[in-house]
Amino acid sequence: MRIGALVISLSFIASSVEAHEPRPRAGQTGPSGLVDLSRAHIPLGGAAVLTLPGSVDLVLQHVSEQALGLVDAPEAVLPGDTSGWTRLRVSPAFTLMTPELGAIAVWRLAAEIDLLRDFWPVGSGREVVAVDPRGRAEAGLLGQRLSELYLAAAGTHVAVQLGLVRSRWGLGLVSNGGDDPVAASTESPFGTAYQGDHVVRLGVSAFPLGGGLGAPPLTASVAFDGVIDDDTARWSAGDRAYQLVAAVRGATGPVGLGLYVAHRFQDHAEGGSTEVTVIDVTARLEIAKEEGLLALIEGELATIRGRSSLAQSVWHEGSSDVDQLGGILRFSVRSGVFLGVLEVGAASGDTNPFDDEQRAFAMDRDHRVGMLMFRESVLAAQAATIDNLSNPDYRGEAPRGVRRLATQGAVKGAVYANPRMSFRVLGEDGGTADPRLDVYAGFLYGSTDGDLVDAYWSGLAGGAARGFRNGAPSSELGWEVDVGAALQVPGEDVRWRFRLEGAWFQPGRAFADAAGQAMPGVWGISGQAGLLW
């Protein structure tokens, strides 16, 4: 059964601040690269520095119209959407070196604040997707948002962290900080980051072999989190979710391994509760490393098990057994100006949405895969399913938890293959003094784990598998082609950045209607302009 996703916001403190290997940034110095001297900063003597980095971004995008399987309007289409958003973000931080204190050598007080967030679509008729938080159905000033505010202290053998932080782990399968995409990265460069998972954390890490101020070979961590916002919980909406976390991570030579265990208990605003345990393993192996060449294999595998009484199908109103499995495997080769990546992912599916078992695994909403298939078309189709299930003629009252069917653009109950490549046309890797231009492309093929089962149309068919638009049983979601270019131009005390991306999605048989008519192709384009200081 798949009524309500159980994607968990989980993390631990793997160094003095973050729970993943930070991306390399030019100009970084100090413990764990905490201070980026290529961004705005004010030295406060030899032992302290105040950094004041920030960014302003404007994004414009268009997605063509899409057919919907609405029971009230069988011929309905989701209108083409032209939309945009603006963001003004500042990330002040105060870092103090205190080597004379012994156990604690670095203190850091940091924040991340979006002073302006404004979203504005052009057009109407998208009310049906308003059930999805990422449906782009309403415009307006979103106000300010505090994403991080924490105090961290670290030494050679211990680190402590307290406050509001972005939650991260591994490749971002179940916990993802929602970092902005990077063109020449093994992560997907396409699309826009949503907002990441946020928790209030009290965490302690130990480094038995030392190295806590750099890259520790062994880290053991424990933490207690109160969830502010992630895929399945939002504190401001009345959800109350907490999690206990224990993790260990080690690296030696070309091999890195991590084990992460968390227990989460959540009371849902709609009613019902969820109690699950997550076990997550991540690994990294350098196959080849020499001057001008780096070949890597990275992977993450997670299982979620427990019970939930939030979601109720039309035939079953008791609690459900949760047993879900998902994973990502990524192979990459970087040679000179070329980066090639082959990523495959799998999330267990659920071919029976009417029993008391939840088997469909959902990857984190900020794990980006392509631009359209999951983040637009599956999102819209699932929103139509929610609308149909909420129709008074179907059940008088929608079953509890039905809105949790919203995908938020995540990969749910699906398998995909996503080869990508990028070329550095201009500039040097890691340099900031010269203009830098990257071009990149990707291909995405996706299918569901077993025949796609739409909860509404399958319910009308007595439980037999039916597709999003009441089509015949199929697991084929379709294929997609993505292309893009990213340019950074240095200026006086700032760096300008520009991105242009386009995509074509050809829906598969899972999107066909009852007559077997294929859903027309969908195209999209996105442009971004901004500056960093």
Side-chain angles (χ1 to χ4, degrees), residues 376-524:
E376 297 292 343
S377 294
V378 173
L379 180 153
Q382 199 70 357
T385 298
I386 298 172
D387 187 88
N388 289 338
L389 289 170
S390 303
N391 191 315
D393 293 335
Y394 180 60
R395 195 193 168 185
E397 182 181 353
R400 189 174 72 196
V402 67
R403 295 177 69 90
R404 299 299 176 112
L405 279 172
T407 71
Q408 302 185 63
V411 177
K412 296 185 178 183
V415 179
Y416 69 86
N418 185 205
R420 305 184 294 268
M421 66 177 65
S422 69
F423 293 89
R424 176 65 49 82
V425 178
L426 185 66
E428 297 182 1
D429 188 28
T432 59
D434 299 314
R436 188 172 67 197
L437 175 63
D438 294 281
V439 295
Y440 45 94
F443 176 83
L444 173 63
Y445 177 82
S447 66
T448 55
D449 181 24
D451 286 339
L452 189 146
V453 178
D454 181 274
Y456 176 78
W457 294 112
S458 297
L460 290 184
R466 303 299 296 176
F468 283 132
R469 302 168 62 219
N470 198 22
S474 176
S475 62
E476 184 186 4
L477 292 175
W479 56 267
E480 175 180 332
V481 175
D482 306 291
V483 295
L487 173 66
Q488 283 201 24
V489 180
E492 186 175 354
D493 299 324
V494 299
R495 294 204 300 271
W496 294 92
R497 61 181 179 184
F498 306 91
R499 296 168 62 90
L500 181 63
E501 297 175 344
W504 172 268
F505 170 50
Q506 185 60 51
R509 289 174 294 173
F511 287 89
D513 62 18
Q517 185 70 29
M519 175 175 157
V522 180
W523 62 272

Side-chain angles (χ1 to χ4, degrees), residues 21 171 183-189 283-290 292-299 328-336 338-344 418-422:
E21 294 184 8
L171 302 184
S185 169
T186 57
E187 297 178 2
S188 175
R284 170 189 170 100
L285 173 64
E286 295 178 354
I287 302 174
K289 185 177 182 180
E290 55 188 65
L293 174 66
L294 177 61
L296 291 174
I297 292 181
E298 303 171 282
I328 303 169
L329 185 63
R330 186 183 293 157
F331 172 70
S332 64
V333 176
R334 188 186 299 271
S335 179
F338 170 78
L339 171 65
V341 179
L342 173 59
E343 177 178 313
V344 294
N418 185 205
R420 305 184 294 268
M421 66 177 65
S422 69

Side-chain angles (χ1 to χ4, degrees), residues 37-88:
L37 297 182
S38 70
R39 307 288 292 274
H41 66 281
I42 302 174
L44 302 176
V49 61
L50 176 64
T51 52
L52 299 166
S55 62
V56 176
D57 289 287
L58 168 64
V59 176
L60 295 175
Q61 58 189 13
H62 178 83
V63 178
S64 64
E65 68 177 23
Q66 303 177 68
L68 293 173
L70 293 176
V71 64
D72 285 340
E75 304 302 320
V77 297
L78 188 67
D81 169 49
T82 301
S83 60
W85 60 267
T86 54
R87 184 187 72 189
L88 169 60

